[in-house]
């Protein structure tokens, strides 16, 4: 454009008196169209991706690359990401990491991961309504502080992972959540031919929520966050051990890949004996104990007899 403007005397008539105005207008318009076309092309197609940051913030870790290489899914893992056009300042980095990691995962998967990125959503758009109806990805209200003023802002920052009949949904990527870990875990979960089965041993700690009658009052208990995390990766089944627990099926295979016991000190006889008998049969078991459980108050602390 500078060259064209610098040659103004040519397109205004020049020495032969013939105007070249139309010719140079076409040249200028062509340059603008080429510029717009190149921007559209590279915005929608990452033909060349190179992480030039000093800390390699947009690069996949070696473990992630190894997991992608070992995926044996017959069908591609489809990722539908739903991201608002405007997010609070505190979540700009999360949005940047999410979009960058999603593109890197698709690029390095060898066709095993297919991405549908909706990263310019309006909160009340058709795509936002579809995300909520189909996957439960909805607007989240976050308290933000801008110039000393506190306000609540709603936005969408979630993704759904599907492969065949398997589905995992991350409804919201919050600040501080390890984005790469969450993405890779979800991909690996839906890509496996059969999800592993986890037995939650029923104790006085009601992980799945419900009602508590401690103190003579009815209290509604929400589902614990740890159970929601486990359900993203395992097929979770709550098991009552008031009676002997069969850990093998009719074909002699273990019914559970692992067992999880929260606050074992709350187990009353004969449930401890039933649990230890089941453990001796083979399934690996995880114990989680809190010395002073905050709720519900009826749960026995670890240090009690």
């Amino acid at each position: 454009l500078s060259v064209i403007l610098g040659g103004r005397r040519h397109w205004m008539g020049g020495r032969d008196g013939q105007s070249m105005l139309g010719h140079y207008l076409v040249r200028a318009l062509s340059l603008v169209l080429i510029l717009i076309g190149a921007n559209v092309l590279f915005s929608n197609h990452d033909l060349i991706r190179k992480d030039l940051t000093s800390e390699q913030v947009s690069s996949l870790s070696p473990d992630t690359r190894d997991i992608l290489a070992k995926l044996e899914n017959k069908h591609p893992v489809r990722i539908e990401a739903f991201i608002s056009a405007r997010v609070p300042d505190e979540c700009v980095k999360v949005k940047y990491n999410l979009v960058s990691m999603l593109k890197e995962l698709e690029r390095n998967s060898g066709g095993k991961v297919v991405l549908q990125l909706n990263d310019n959503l309006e909160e009340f758009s058709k795509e936002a309504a579809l995300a909520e109806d189909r996957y439960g990805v909805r607007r989240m209200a976050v308290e933000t502080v801008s110039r000393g003023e506190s306000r609540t802002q709603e936005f969408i920052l979630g993704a759904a992972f599907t492969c065949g009949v398997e589905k995992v949904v991350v409804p919201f990527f919050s600040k501080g959540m390890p984005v790469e870990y969450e993405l890779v875990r979800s991909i690996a979960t839906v890509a496996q031919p059969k999800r592993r089965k986890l037995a939650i041993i029923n104790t006085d700690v009601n992980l799945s929520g419900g009602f508590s009658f401690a103190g003579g009052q009815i209290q509604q208990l929400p589902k614990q966050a740890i159970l929601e995390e486990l359900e993203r990766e395992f097929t979770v089944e709550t098991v009552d051990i008031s009676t002997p627990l069969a850990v093998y099926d009719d074909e002699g295979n273990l019914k559970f890949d692992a067992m999880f016991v929260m606050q074992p000190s709350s187990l009353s006889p004969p449930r401890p004996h039933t649990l230890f008998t089941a453990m001796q049969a083979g399934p690996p078991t995880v114990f989680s104990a809190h010395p002073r459980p905050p709720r519900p108050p009826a749960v026995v602390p670890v240090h009690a007899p």
Side-chain angles (χ1 to χ4, degrees), residues 20 22 31 62 126 128 139 144 153 163 181 194 257 262 265 297:
M20 298 287 289
L31 287 173
K126 180 180 178 181
R139 301 185 305 275
T144 63
Q153 183 173 348
C163 183
Y181 167 78
K194 185 178 180 181
D257 294 283
M262 174 70 81
S265 57

Side-chain angles (χ1 to χ4, degrees), residues 190-207:
V190 298
Q192 60 188 357
K194 185 178 180 181
R195 193 177 295 200
R196 291 169 295 178
K197 196 169 185 179
L198 178 66
I200 303 292
I201 302 301
N202 194 17
T203 66
D204 288 351
V205 180
N206 196 342
L207 295 180

